Amino acid sequence: MAFTIDTSELNAVAEQLAAAGARTETMARMAVAKTAKDLERIAKTFVPVDTGATKNSIAASMDGLSATVGPTTDYAVYLEYGTRRMAQRAFMGPALDRVAPAFQEAMEQIGGTIFG
C-alpha cells in the first residue's frame, strides 16, 4: 500500500514567502518605525507634566524589527500605574491604545501582499 501526499499548495506558499521576504521585511520595518514615533508623540501629549522631565525622557528606539518606546525617569512607572497613595495617571497605555489599530491594519496589509 502506498500513500501520496500532495504538497503543491505548500510549495507554492513557500515560494511566495521566499519572494516576498525582503520586500515585506522593509514594509514591516517601516510600519514598526512609524508606530513607534506615533506612540512617542502621543505619549508626550498624555503624560502629566510638572517639571517636564518625564515628557522629555520619552523616546523611541529601533532594533531590527523591534521598537522600544518609553520614558527613562525612575518615577514614570508610578505615574503610569499609581501607588497606594497616588492614583494612576496613565499615559503610555492610552497612547498605545491609540496607535494599536493602525499598526494592526498595517500588518494585515503586509500579510495581504504575501498571500493576497
Side-chain angles (χ1 to χ4, degrees):
M1 176 190 279
F3 292 96
T4 303
I5 299 172
D6 180 5
T7 60
S8 60
E9 288 184 32
L10 183 59
N11 292 337
V13 169
E15 288 175 16
Q16 287 176 321
L17 287 172
R23 181 172 43 108
T24 56
E25 183 176 338
T26 299
M27 292 168 65
R29 190 180 314 275
M30 290 171 53
V32 170
K34 181 184 182 323
T35 302
K37 281 305 196 183
D38 289 348
L39 180 57
E40 176 186 345
R41 178 181 48 79
I42 293 169
K44 285 181 177 185
T45 66
F46 286 164
V47 68
V49 176
D50 184 16
T51 65
T54 299
K55 180 178 182 175
N56 292 331
S57 77
I58 297 172
S61 63
M62 290 285 298
D63 182 20
L65 286 172
S66 297
T68 302
V69 183
T72 58
T73 56
D74 293 337
Y75 56 87
V77 67
Y78 304 119
L79 291 171
E80 185 73 20
Y81 297 109
T83 68
R84 63 185 172 143
R85 294 189 177 127
M86 179 181 84
Q88 73 177 30
R89 297 166 68 189
F91 55 98
M92 291 303 299
L96 183 60
D97 290 342
R98 292 270 176 106
V99 300
F103 180 70
Q104 181 176 351
E105 183 179 326
M107 292 295 107
E108 288 171 358
Q109 288 176 353
I110 291 168
T113 64
I114 298 171
F115 299 109

